[in-house]
Amino acid sequence: MDKALASGACDVSSILAGGANIKYDLNDMSTPDSNIDGVFAKNLFSAKDFSGELKKTLPGKIYRLLRKVGHIADDNNVRVYLAGGFVRDLISGGRNFDMDIVAEGDAITFAPVLARQLKATLQLYPRFKTATLKLQDDLRIDLASARTEYYAHAGALPEVRLSSLRDDLCRRDFTINTLAVSLNKKFFGKLVDFFNGQKDIKDKKIKVLHDLSFIEDPTRIFRAVRLEQRLGFRIDKHTKSLLKAAVDLKMFDRLSKGRIADELKLLLSEPSPAKVIRRMEQLHKLKFLHSRIKYNRRMKNYLVSAQKILHWHKTNLPQYPIQGWLVYLLAITDELKFRAAGEFYAGLGLKRSECRCLMSCKRYGKEAIASLQKVKLSCPSKIYKILKPLSEEAVLFLAVKYGERNLREFFMKFLKKYAKIKLRITGDDIKKLNLRPGPEFRNILEYILWAKIDGQVKSKKDELALAGKYISRLRN
Ligand code: CTP
């Protein structure tokens, strides 16, 4: 192990210089020119048989699917293995049915055959030699060619070359993700464990495979914390010092804003973002975010409360999914004023719709709170008019921030009831009342909607009658 790097004292400038190839000593872990068939047979004959666990633990349809993948691979002379998070979670008792399958050989050639036989839709990524198959029941297989990756420079996307399973596994992030299960018929269920992954799962340890892991791919700084908090594991001491050294070497700056945004979205979509953010604060003071974003008690409380409110939303309104991660992002960026927030969100490369959703909170949030304090709970359409300019994610964040001021009921009523009320009539019905299409149409429909929210109209007939009255008032 590279103790110098662990202490942060190592000169890695040659590694960090743009364009330099990263080379590292894998302590003889790789088998670059090995006799793959020999290694294959030797490893699998002596490997632990995991087929009983597969049968016992997996839902029948997934077990049968994996068997079928093995058969199809046999017919095409390809060796296939389940790897990554699926195997890790299977062993640690979690559930993860996103199948990460590694093929020894070219996945790009095998993928269309597999997709045809499994009746799956197929997306190929030739540059990375990977493919995604989408099957019925929301099942998904990520198929990758066993590969070795080269990084043109630190933080870049990898260049890919075909290789053996062992080479593929030793390029991975943490030992707990290096387990693989053979799917071919002869060795079905054999568990390949080159790097002591089972032991680290048992000891609940997150360990990198080599000292330059975080330098090579700084997104692993996020992944380490996400996995640690999700699985209830601990980042091992040496790995923690490597992580901190990578932060001190400003490795976050090597990532594009887009990759930071992807990681941010993933971490805010974890079951408990409050815990992940707190841990990141301990490890590196959230240095990947805006310099004005500081972790404090208020942010902590917002994050915890956001989790409760999102749980309420999921339980009460499962038919209306929202982007919960944006509620957490509002909690984290609450200190940023309108302009700074706008620049920050746009700089992250978020989608326009996501920026709009977030900015509605900055633009109308304060005003909405002031107005709500002047209305009564018995005036639904007034509440509706005040909260309508805000996205639902923004309303949920306001419920987090101002929930204690007796306003929570307003937000809940709006989200559960008023925002969901729809008219039965449309513009076509208004046309039939002999009004020429124009801007007045919107006003009429809005007026009737308010009446409906206040309970003054119920049926389509009531709506039409009110539209008729409105139009005759216009004409007089
Ligand atoms: N991987 C890696 N370095 C990364 C991202 C991924 O080494 N920066 C490897 C990991 O070994 C991982 C595998 O690629 O197991 C598949 O990636 P992904 O599907 O993102 O990870 P999972 O481990 O399945 O994680 P999650 O449970 O969060 O989906």
Side-chain angles (χ1 to χ4, degrees):
M1 293 290 188
D2 193 336
K3 296 265 162 38
L5 181 70
S7 68
C10 176
D11 175 16
V12 288
S13 50
S14 60
I15 296 155
L16 299 178
N21 269 344
I22 293 177
K23 294 199 179 74
Y24 44 81
D25 177 10
L26 286 172
N27 298 329
D28 208 19
M29 287 190 296
S30 69
T31 54
D33 295 308
S34 55
N35 169 352
I36 290 175
D37 284 319
V39 171
F40 167 77
K42 188 172 137 250
N43 282 317
L44 289 183
F45 273 120
S46 57
K48 177 174 167 181
D49 184 2
F50 202 61
S51 57
E53 264 92 342
L54 289 181
K55 186 147 196 198
K56 202 167 68 191
T57 329
L58 293 175
K61 69 175 175 192
I62 299 204
Y63 179 79
R64 286 190 295 277
L65 175 66
L66 294 176
R67 278 271 181 200
K68 195 163 176 185
V69 171
H71 288 154
I72 301 169
D74 282 344
D75 293 344
N76 289 274
N77 286 323
V78 180
R79 286 199 289 261
V80 281
Y81 307 85
L82 261 179
F86 188 101
V87 184
R88 175 198 71 219
D89 291 349
L90 200 66
I91 292 178
S92 64
R95 279 170 78 88
N96 176 352
F97 297 140
D98 276 350
M99 285 159 273
D100 174 7
I101 292 182
V102 177
E104 267 179 337
D106 190 352
I108 293 297
T109 320
F110 177 53
V113 182
L114 187 62
R116 212 171 25 253
Q117 300 208 27
L118 296 179
K119 298 192 175 43
T121 58
L122 174 68
Q123 180 81 48
L124 292 171
Y125 304 97
R127 183 178 163 203
F128 299 109
K129 302 203 184 302
T130 60
T132 299
L133 282 75
K134 289 206 175 124
L135 298 96
Q136 277 178 343
D137 301 332
D138 263 354
L139 290 177
R140 176 191 150 115
I141 294 178
D142 284 320
L143 183 68
S145 319
R147 64 201 194 220
T148 306
E149 292 178 350
Y150 293 94
Y151 294 80
H153 57 84
L157 288 170
E159 310 286 330
V160 173
R161 174 168 72 77
L162 294 182
S163 71
S164 69
L165 174 72
R166 194 173 200 273
D167 284 349
D168 181 282
L169 295 174
C170 79
R171 76 181 167 85
R172 293 191 176 225
D173 49 4
F174 309 117
T175 55
I176 58 167
N177 287 334
T178 59
L179 290 154
V181 173
S182 167
L183 296 180
N184 295 82
K185 191 169 174 208
K186 188 165 175 199
F187 294 108
F188 184 83
K190 287 283 194 165
L191 180 69
V192 183
D193 183 3
F194 291 119
F195 308 111
N196 277 330
Q198 284 181 96
K199 180 171 185 316
D200 289 335
I201 290 179
K202 194 166 146 272
D203 296 345
K204 297 181 181 277
K205 288 236 163 90
I206 311 258
K207 276 190 200 165
V208 285
L209 274 87
H210 61 86
D211 284 6
L212 291 182
S213 191
F214 294 117
I215 303 280
E216 186 181 273
D217 183 349
T219 63
R220 291 174 177 167
I221 301 172
F222 295 88
R223 289 178 61 80
V225 182
R226 277 203 288 123
L227 283 173
E228 183 195 52
Q229 297 304 311
R230 188 197 314 156
L231 302 173
F233 285 20
R234 208 70 188 154
I235 299 175
D236 137 277
K237 198 167 158 216
H238 180 65
T239 296
K240 189 159 85 183
S241 46
L242 293 172
L243 184 152
K244 288 185 169 177
V247 174
D248 290 345
L249 288 165
K250 301 199 180 328
M251 292 315 298
F252 286 134
D253 297 353
R254 298 262 161 179
L255 292 171
S256 66
K257 293 283 184 208
R259 290 190 82 194
I260 298 243
D262 290 345
E263 290 303 323
L264 192 58
K265 181 170 177 179
L266 285 172
L267 77 87
L268 297 179
S269 305
E270 285 291 323
S272 180
K275 284 202 218 157
V276 179
I277 294 285
R278 194 188 56 212
R279 182 70 166 138
M280 291 203 147
E281 160 70 14
Q282 281 172 2
L283 290 170
H284 52 65
K285 307 269 171 241
L286 305 183
K287 278 185 189 153
F288 63 99
L289 289 171
H290 195 284
S291 57
R292 253 183 272 159
I293 297 178
K294 299 273 178 272
Y295 185 81
N296 53 26
R297 183 180 287 271
R298 191 187 300 168
M299 187 195 287
K300 180 180 161 200
N301 292 341
Y302 286 171
L303 289 168
V304 171
S305 165
Q307 194 167 323
K308 289 187 191 142
I309 287 208
L310 285 166
H311 178 74
W312 170 87
H313 191 272
K314 205 171 167 187
T315 317
N316 287 278
L317 298 163
Q319 69 280 35
Y320 300 109
I322 50 152
Q323 303 199 73
W325 71 279
L326 292 177
V327 180
Y328 291 114
L329 188 53
L330 283 169
I332 289 173
T333 54
D334 185 54
E335 306 267 305
L336 298 184
K337 299 264 176 317
F338 186 80
R339 181 194 271 253
E343 284 168 6
F344 176 65
Y345 300 144
L348 277 177
L350 299 186
K351 290 187 201 138
R352 216 183 270 187
S353 58
E354 292 164 345
C355 287
R356 260 204 311 270
C357 170
L358 294 161
M359 290 309 283
S360 73
C361 189
K362 301 283 176 190
R363 194 185 297 269
Y364 304 111
K366 264 202 184 131
E367 196 186 310
I369 296 301
S371 308
L372 279 183
Q373 274 158 345
K374 294 184 209 136
V375 299
K376 294 207 177 84
L377 210 49
S378 54
C379 304
S381 68
K382 285 197 182 147
I383 299 171
Y384 175 85
K385 282 179 227 172
I386 294 169
L387 293 178
K388 191 62 196 152
L390 292 145
S391 63
E392 297 205 6
E393 287 81 357
V395 174
L396 283 165
F397 177 64
L398 292 183
V400 166
K401 188 168 173 183
Y402 300 97
E404 275 146 32
R405 291 203 211 159
N406 294 332
L407 292 176
R408 188 163 290 185
E409 193 77 359
F410 289 90
F411 302 121
M412 301 315 182
K413 281 242 156 73
F414 172 79
L415 291 169
K416 221 173 154 176
K417 217 168 150 197
Y418 314 146
K420 310 294 177 242
I421 294 178
K422 298 271 173 290
L423 287 182
R424 299 224 167 101
I425 61 167
T426 64
D428 285 341
D429 296 299
I430 311 259
K431 254 194 251 166
K432 288 184 198 145
L433 296 173
N434 290 328
L435 189 71
R436 213 175 311 138
E440 204 55 48
F441 266 48
R442 222 181 108 201
N443 296 341
I444 299 176
L445 290 171
E446 211 166 48
Y447 178 76
I448 302 167
L449 181 66
W450 295 338
K452 189 160 183 175
I453 290 171
D454 283 333
Q456 290 156 3
V457 292
K458 293 212 159 50
S459 62
K460 183 168 180 182
K461 207 168 135 204
D462 295 343
E463 292 175 17
L464 281 171
L466 192 60
K469 262 194 215 158
Y470 190 105
I471 293 169
S472 55
R473 232 185 297 140
L474 271 183
R475 288 184 178 136
N476 294 328

